[in-house]
Amino acid sequence: MDFRLLGPVSAFSGRDEIPLGPPKRRALLALLVLADGAAVGAERIIEGLWDDRPPTHARTVVYGHVSALRGLLRAERDTDVVTRDSGYALRAAPDAADLWRFRELVRRSAAPPAGKQPAELLREALELWRGPVLGAVGDTPLLTAAADRLAEEHLAALERFAATLYACGRGAEALALLRPAAERHPLRESLIAAVVRALHHADRQADAVALYRSTQRRLARELGVDPGAALSEAYLALLRGRPAQSVRSPRPPQSPESLRTTQAPQSPQAPQPPQPPQPPQPPKSQEPPPSRHTRRQPRQPRPSQPPSAADGTRTPVAPPPPPAHRPTARPAADAQPAPPFLLPRAPAGFVSRTDDLARLTAAACPGRAPLSVVTGPAGVGKTSLAVHWAYAHAADFPDGILYADLRAGEPDGTGPQTTGVLRDFLQALGVPEERLPTEARAAGHLYRATLTGRRALVLLDNARDSVQVRPLLPSSPDCTVLVTSRNRLEGLVASDCARLLPLRRLAPADGVRVLRTVIGDDRVEAEPAAAQELSVLCDGLPLALRLAAARLAARPGLALRAMADGLVDEQQRLSLLCGEDLGVEATLRMSVQQLPPDAALLFRQLALHVGSELDAAAAAALGGLPLPAARGALEDLATAHLVEERTSERYLMHDLTRLYARSFAERAEADGLRRLLLHYLSAARAATAAAEPGSQPCCALPAGVLPPGPAPVFADRAGAMAWLSTERANLTAAVAAAADAGHPELAWRIAVQLWPLIVRQVHDGWEPALQRALTAATGLGDPDAESRLRSLLGWVLTENGQHAAALEHLGRAPDLALRADDPPGRVIALINWAVALERAGDVSGAGEQRERAARMAKDLGHPHTEVLALYHLAAHCLATGRPDEALAHGRQGLALASDEQSDERRALLLDTCGRALRALGHGEEARRCLSRAATLSGHRGPAGEASPASARGQQHQTRRTSKVTEALSPGPPVRWHE
């Protein structure tokens, strides 16, 4: 058996490929192979297959795919998908997957068996890769992250292969594999350095120089940095005409498991550099402090490999304690004080953040005058990350580490003043008190002069804005500055080329690791599911996780499940996430207090928002703001990390922030909700019109009501459908919010606007929202509204196999349409009813209703409605063995179908006519008809010709789209049916 993940996901038995089926099944197989024999829980599988948009019966679908995989593997000996630990695991031979063989070959290359060379084993491993990893399985975040990790393993093995060849004088042999990888990763300096060295060995110095210079320009243009030590060293070796001496064969890449701990063995991905000097130790009690010129070590080049710990850090060294007393007299030239070390206590229990620490290491390298800004929401762990990194890299800064908490969360005027911070820094640097300036500008000049020539780290914590930071920036290129802030400090990016490092919330698994550091492994392992749920409920915020863990630690008898159940209650979640002097609510309050007026107004109004995401137009309606002001307010909220910008002009409010915003509900403007509902109704009407051109609106705005702003304009059908899909959660939530708030006239109207999306995703759990809208419509006593909702809900129930419930609604819809004086609507209601009768087995009754609908449609003189009725009557005649009648009705429908009607509608009529012609023995004419149908529907045969089978497949495929669309838009009303 051969499972293949290092390219398109596939499986082979011998030379025969096993037909795995749809992408979701391939994705399931990939998740099982990635687990390397471990069990994968159902929730993990659902996340991998659908992320946060699973179908209604996701577990059933997963079980179906598992059963299908078991059936495919049944003939294979010792290979099966087994149930284990409430999940599924792949039982297979150790070499049954190309990924497993790749990792084993890389592992063996570190200590090759007799007769094998490391390069030979690595080449064999690299030859297993067949293209983009995990191909043809979808792009959920979980699978994308797994693909990224595997791609990193591939690059690390490739770089090690090149280094191995280079070390034995055969570097040119690696070029064939290196060049394509370098083209895909033009900013990966270690990879570019390997190509430069390989070109050097191949006597292609001109190409090597050109590659270096183009990379240098790209780094400056896209990242604002110069080449690092590894690439610079390779270039210098090229210029000197000899190989770089420091290139060694690195150790194999670490497996993902080894990257999950904060401390790990030396990173294998790059050569070993000269060790940087250790931070000075405190002088012994009876020895004078060492002089500056004896203490300082020669400048070392920036290391060309990641630091030794797997998370991008070195093992933290014990810092020297600050001097107990600073003399007021100027010290002698040969008796300067020990370098300052002003860091606060190292964060206890720091876990994870592997990628963030690595990015910080890459950005905050000494020698480039780097300025890095770690940004993120309150409680996400910015200070912990920065201080942890500073401890781990203390050896890189022999002239000391300065630290100041700028206390951005304090009310204006109560935080530290610039002059005070500068004076503290100058004193720590050994400037006597009598020489300390009292004016900020003079103190800044002396501060920058004192740091000239020194390699020091300046950590500015909790900065409010760029203005607060700039006076504290040193001018020495040897100094590194690290800033943390809840705001994005884009001014520093513009004026000082700062590198922004956004800090994300922890993944659920990393959140569980935080819990372990506080309450121990035993309690977590006793209730793993509850621990995972706690991590999710804490929104991935380390502060919230530690507060929850502290409550559990103080109450040994409190079960994790009980704590999770308490947090599920949104009314008390924030109150539970507080400690003696800390709390999530308090940290959010500090951020809100500093907002500009429009942003503060909008944050209060967000208490009324029906969902967790919104765009600028919805924000404008909610806040009663002009659109430009709403955009600015959202940007201010995003800068303060109170909302997160997911895509262009679309923002997400995380759960804890949303709950805090709800505390402002009493102060919010009540009309904001009605404006928001009207906005969604107006925008949905525009989207529906664009999604189904030629159809008439299925409802108007309530009498005397105007939308709060202009409706969006959609360029095409695809754009309209994309908007409906993106806003689905908000629109369905708006139905419930309108009903709850006493706006039934808006509730049912918003619901019926969803029909273009419903017909394409009919199995995605629409019944609750439609039932809620129907209740609102019934309460109004409006037969038109009730008819539309019963027709729509009945069709959805029909498609989901609930025939009895469907007939109850659809059987009442025609009379309701008659009471509403809606003849076209009555025709469509009859058609929908006919479809439901046919599905329930009453073919005769279905035929009667279709014939009745066709007669009524003809009398109306409404082409859209008549085309619809004729199509359904033709389909019924064909199904009941009357192809001649089916052909007549189909041709009549085609004669009435205008070019304005969709290609899908004409394709269905042509498909029906083609199948009728074939049944009548007119093969050539049938083929032409079916070919036209296939062309209109976008399905082609193998040789580019339209295929009759494709046309037949189109009828099946569009059961939930094209056929329904026919029923939905013949005129002013909208009805649903097959």
Side-chain angles (χ1 to χ4, degrees), residues 16-43:
D16 299 327
E17 183 173 4
I18 296 176
L20 292 176
K24 297 300 184 189
R25 193 171 302 150
R26 296 173 186 269
L28 170 61
L29 176 61
L31 290 171
L32 296 175
V33 174
L34 286 168
D36 199 4
V40 185
E43 292 301 326

Short mmCIF file of all heavy atoms in Angstrom, two decimals, residues 16-43:
data_model
loop_
_atom_site.label_atom_id
_atom_site.label_comp_id
_atom_site.label_asym_id
_atom_site.label_seq_id
_atom_site.Cartn_x
_atom_site.Cartn_y
_atom_site.Cartn_z
N ASP A 16 -1.59 0.23 -9.27
CA ASP A 16 -2.96 0.67 -9.54
C ASP A 16 -3.38 1.74 -8.54
O ASP A 16 -3.26 1.54 -7.32
CB ASP A 16 -3.93 -0.50 -9.45
CG ASP A 16 -3.60 -1.58 -10.48
OD1 ASP A 16 -3.13 -1.21 -11.58
OD2 ASP A 16 -3.79 -2.77 -10.18
N GLU A 17 -3.87 2.87 -9.06
CA GLU A 17 -4.36 3.92 -8.17
C GLU A 17 -5.74 3.55 -7.66
O GLU A 17 -6.61 3.11 -8.41
CB GLU A 17 -4.42 5.26 -8.89
CG GLU A 17 -4.85 6.40 -7.99
CD GLU A 17 -4.75 7.77 -8.63
OE1 GLU A 17 -4.41 7.83 -9.83
OE2 GLU A 17 -5.03 8.77 -7.94
N ILE A 18 -5.93 3.75 -6.37
CA ILE A 18 -7.22 3.48 -5.74
C ILE A 18 -8.11 4.71 -5.92
O ILE A 18 -7.70 5.83 -5.60
CB ILE A 18 -7.03 3.16 -4.25
CG1 ILE A 18 -6.22 1.87 -4.08
CG2 ILE A 18 -8.36 3.04 -3.53
CD1 ILE A 18 -5.90 1.52 -2.65
N PRO A 19 -9.32 4.54 -6.40
CA PRO A 19 -10.23 5.70 -6.59
C PRO A 19 -10.75 6.20 -5.24
O PRO A 19 -11.76 5.71 -4.73
CB PRO A 19 -11.35 5.13 -7.46
CG PRO A 19 -11.37 3.67 -7.14
CD PRO A 19 -9.95 3.28 -6.85
N LEU A 20 -10.09 7.19 -4.69
CA LEU A 20 -10.46 7.67 -3.36
C LEU A 20 -11.78 8.42 -3.35
O LEU A 20 -12.44 8.52 -2.31
CB LEU A 20 -9.35 8.57 -2.80
CG LEU A 20 -8.04 7.87 -2.48
CD1 LEU A 20 -7.01 8.89 -2.02
CD2 LEU A 20 -8.24 6.82 -1.40
N GLY A 21 -12.13 9.02 -4.47
CA GLY A 21 -13.40 9.74 -4.49
C GLY A 21 -13.22 11.23 -4.29
O GLY A 21 -12.20 11.81 -4.67
N PRO A 22 -14.19 11.90 -3.64
CA PRO A 22 -14.22 13.37 -3.58
C PRO A 22 -13.09 13.94 -2.72
O PRO A 22 -12.45 13.22 -1.93
CB PRO A 22 -15.60 13.66 -2.96
CG PRO A 22 -15.93 12.44 -2.18
CD PRO A 22 -15.34 11.29 -2.95
N PRO A 23 -12.84 15.26 -2.86
CA PRO A 23 -11.75 15.89 -2.10
C PRO A 23 -11.87 15.71 -0.59
O PRO A 23 -10.85 15.59 0.10
CB PRO A 23 -11.86 17.36 -2.51
CG PRO A 23 -12.50 17.35 -3.84
CD PRO A 23 -13.45 16.19 -3.82
N LYS A 24 -13.10 15.72 -0.04
CA LYS A 24 -13.23 15.58 1.42
C LYS A 24 -12.71 14.23 1.90
O LYS A 24 -12.12 14.13 2.98
CB LYS A 24 -14.69 15.76 1.84
CG LYS A 24 -15.28 17.13 1.54
CD LYS A 24 -14.53 18.24 2.24
CE LYS A 24 -15.20 19.58 2.00
NZ LYS A 24 -14.40 20.70 2.49
N ARG A 25 -12.91 13.20 1.11
CA ARG A 25 -12.41 11.88 1.50
C ARG A 25 -10.88 11.86 1.41
O ARG A 25 -10.21 11.25 2.26
CB ARG A 25 -13.02 10.80 0.61
CG ARG A 25 -12.80 9.38 1.14
CD ARG A 25 -13.63 8.39 0.35
NE ARG A 25 -15.04 8.73 0.40
CZ ARG A 25 -15.90 8.46 -0.56
NH1 ARG A 25 -15.51 7.85 -1.66
NH2 ARG A 25 -17.18 8.82 -0.45
N ARG A 26 -10.33 12.52 0.41
CA ARG A 26 -8.87 12.61 0.32
C ARG A 26 -8.31 13.41 1.50
O ARG A 26 -7.26 13.09 2.04
CB ARG A 26 -8.47 13.28 -1.00
CG ARG A 26 -8.85 12.48 -2.23
CD ARG A 26 -8.59 13.24 -3.53
NE ARG A 26 -9.08 12.51 -4.68
CZ ARG A 26 -8.36 11.63 -5.38
NH1 ARG A 26 -7.10 11.42 -5.04
NH2 ARG A 26 -8.88 11.00 -6.40
N ALA A 27 -9.04 14.46 1.88
CA ALA A 27 -8.60 15.26 3.03
C ALA A 27 -8.62 14.42 4.30
O ALA A 27 -7.72 14.52 5.15
CB ALA A 27 -9.48 16.49 3.19
N LEU A 28 -9.64 13.58 4.46
CA LEU A 28 -9.70 12.70 5.62
C LEU A 28 -8.50 11.76 5.65
O LEU A 28 -7.86 11.56 6.68
CB LEU A 28 -11.01 11.90 5.59
CG LEU A 28 -11.13 10.76 6.62
CD1 LEU A 28 -11.05 11.31 8.04
CD2 LEU A 28 -12.43 9.99 6.41
N LEU A 29 -8.18 11.17 4.49
CA LEU A 29 -7.01 10.28 4.43
C LEU A 29 -5.74 11.05 4.79
O LEU A 29 -4.88 10.54 5.52
CB LEU A 29 -6.89 9.68 3.03
CG LEU A 29 -5.66 8.80 2.79
CD1 LEU A 29 -5.67 7.60 3.73
CD2 LEU A 29 -5.60 8.34 1.34
N ALA A 30 -5.63 12.28 4.29
CA ALA A 30 -4.44 13.08 4.62
C ALA A 30 -4.33 13.32 6.12
O ALA A 30 -3.23 13.22 6.69
CB ALA A 30 -4.50 14.41 3.87
N LEU A 31 -5.44 13.63 6.77
CA LEU A 31 -5.40 13.86 8.22
C LEU A 31 -4.96 12.60 8.96
O LEU A 31 -4.20 12.67 9.93
CB LEU A 31 -6.78 14.29 8.71
CG LEU A 31 -7.24 15.69 8.26
CD1 LEU A 31 -8.70 15.90 8.64
CD2 LEU A 31 -6.38 16.77 8.88
N LEU A 32 -5.41 11.45 8.51
CA LEU A 32 -5.02 10.20 9.16
C LEU A 32 -3.54 9.90 8.96
O LEU A 32 -2.85 9.45 9.87
CB LEU A 32 -5.88 9.05 8.63
CG LEU A 32 -7.38 9.14 8.94
CD1 LEU A 32 -8.13 8.01 8.26
CD2 LEU A 32 -7.64 9.12 10.44
N VAL A 33 -3.03 10.14 7.75
CA VAL A 33 -1.60 9.91 7.50
C VAL A 33 -0.76 10.89 8.30
O VAL A 33 0.28 10.53 8.88
CB VAL A 33 -1.30 10.02 5.99
CG1 VAL A 33 0.20 9.93 5.74
CG2 VAL A 33 -2.02 8.92 5.22
N LEU A 34 -1.19 12.15 8.35
CA LEU A 34 -0.44 13.15 9.10
C LEU A 34 -0.37 12.79 10.59
O LEU A 34 0.60 13.14 11.27
CB LEU A 34 -1.10 14.53 8.94
CG LEU A 34 -0.91 15.21 7.59
CD1 LEU A 34 -1.84 16.40 7.47
CD2 LEU A 34 0.53 15.65 7.41
N ALA A 35 -1.38 12.10 11.10
CA ALA A 35 -1.38 11.71 12.51
C ALA A 35 -0.39 10.60 12.81
O ALA A 35 -0.13 10.29 13.97
CB ALA A 35 -2.78 11.28 12.94
N ASP A 36 0.15 9.94 11.76
CA ASP A 36 1.21 8.95 11.93
C ASP A 36 0.78 7.82 12.88
O ASP A 36 1.51 7.44 13.79
CB ASP A 36 2.48 9.61 12.44
CG ASP A 36 3.71 8.75 12.18
OD1 ASP A 36 3.57 7.70 11.54
OD2 ASP A 36 4.82 9.13 12.63
N GLY A 37 -0.42 7.31 12.67
CA GLY A 37 -0.89 6.21 13.47
C GLY A 37 -1.68 6.60 14.69
O GLY A 37 -2.34 5.75 15.31
N ALA A 38 -1.63 7.87 15.09
CA ALA A 38 -2.40 8.32 16.25
C ALA A 38 -3.86 8.53 15.85
O ALA A 38 -4.18 8.73 14.68
CB ALA A 38 -1.81 9.61 16.82
N ALA A 39 -4.73 8.51 16.85
CA ALA A 39 -6.15 8.71 16.57
C ALA A 39 -6.43 10.19 16.32
O ALA A 39 -5.86 11.07 16.96
CB ALA A 39 -6.98 8.22 17.76
N VAL A 40 -7.32 10.44 15.38
CA VAL A 40 -7.77 11.80 15.05
C VAL A 40 -9.24 11.89 15.44
O VAL A 40 -10.08 11.14 14.91
CB VAL A 40 -7.59 12.12 13.56
CG1 VAL A 40 -7.94 13.57 13.29
CG2 VAL A 40 -6.16 11.83 13.11
N GLY A 41 -9.55 12.80 16.36
CA GLY A 41 -10.92 12.94 16.83
C GLY A 41 -11.86 13.46 15.77
O GLY A 41 -11.45 14.11 14.80
N ALA A 42 -13.15 13.21 15.97
CA ALA A 42 -14.14 13.65 14.99
C ALA A 42 -14.15 15.16 14.84
O ALA A 42 -14.27 15.68 13.72
CB ALA A 42 -15.53 13.14 15.40
N GLU A 43 -14.01 15.89 15.95
CA GLU A 43 -14.02 17.35 15.86
C GLU A 43 -12.84 17.85 15.05
O GLU A 43 -12.94 18.81 14.28
CB GLU A 43 -14.00 17.96 17.27
CG GLU A 43 -15.27 17.73 18.07
CD GLU A 43 -16.50 18.30 17.37
OE1 GLU A 43 -16.36 19.34 16.70
OE2 GLU A 43 -17.58 17.71 17.48
#
